[in-house]
Amino acid sequence: MTKPTPDTRKATPVKDGRLVWNHSTHIPGLIPILERLCKLDGIQTVTPGQLGRVKGHSPKLQLRVSVPIRGGFKLIARHGKTVQEVFILTTLPQQQLEEAITTVMQK
């Protein structure tokens, strides 16, 4: 048998990010946005976190970058009086991640 040459090897497929389902409840409308975010280059893992209640009211779903974490960023999702943490492991810098979030929120 001969060794495979670079021309005969198959290209490795581009792998989408992974959405982790570790909670049974999520903010309405958040999961489709996170699924679209997972398909972007540089996004490795998206993990929705803890749900909470806040005093302020946000009429539309908002998703913003909160703080950097090891390997990525923590996001805050808000809708109505509900807030949910979202953890993203990514190679993207904060500015590009914010642009990516803006893009998937408009679709």
Side-chain angles (χ1 to χ4, degrees):
M1 285 187 84
T2 61
K3 284 186 175 180
T5 64
D7 296 335
T8 60
R9 282 189 229 141
K10 291 183 180 178
T12 43
V14 175
K15 190 174 179 184
D16 287 344
R18 182 172 68 104
L19 179 61
V20 178
W21 288 78
N22 59 353
H23 291 277
S24 60
T25 56
H26 304 94
I27 290 179
L30 180 63
I31 295 302
I33 291 169
L34 297 182
E35 287 174 341
R36 288 194 300 267
L37 196 59
C38 283
K39 294 177 182 176
L40 300 178
D41 288 338
I43 306 291
Q44 297 159 347
T45 305
V46 178
T47 308
Q50 183 176 3
L51 278 165
R53 303 285 288 172
V54 292
K55 290 182 181 181
H57 182 77
S58 176
K60 294 193 309 186
L61 179 63
Q62 297 176 349
L63 192 60
R64 67 177 174 84
V65 176
S66 175
V67 295
I69 59 172
R70 191 177 322 144
F73 295 92
K74 179 172 106 171
L75 309 181
I76 300 294
R78 289 193 59 195
H79 188 247
K81 291 185 176 244
T82 307
V83 64
Q84 185 164 16
E85 297 174 329
V86 178
F87 299 94
I88 295 193
L89 298 181
T90 180
T91 57
L92 298 176
Q94 183 172 347
Q95 183 65 32
Q96 285 183 346
L97 179 60
E98 289 171 351
E99 291 169 5
I101 290 168
T102 302
T103 303
V104 298
M105 292 283 288
Q106 292 173 350
K107 291 183 181 181

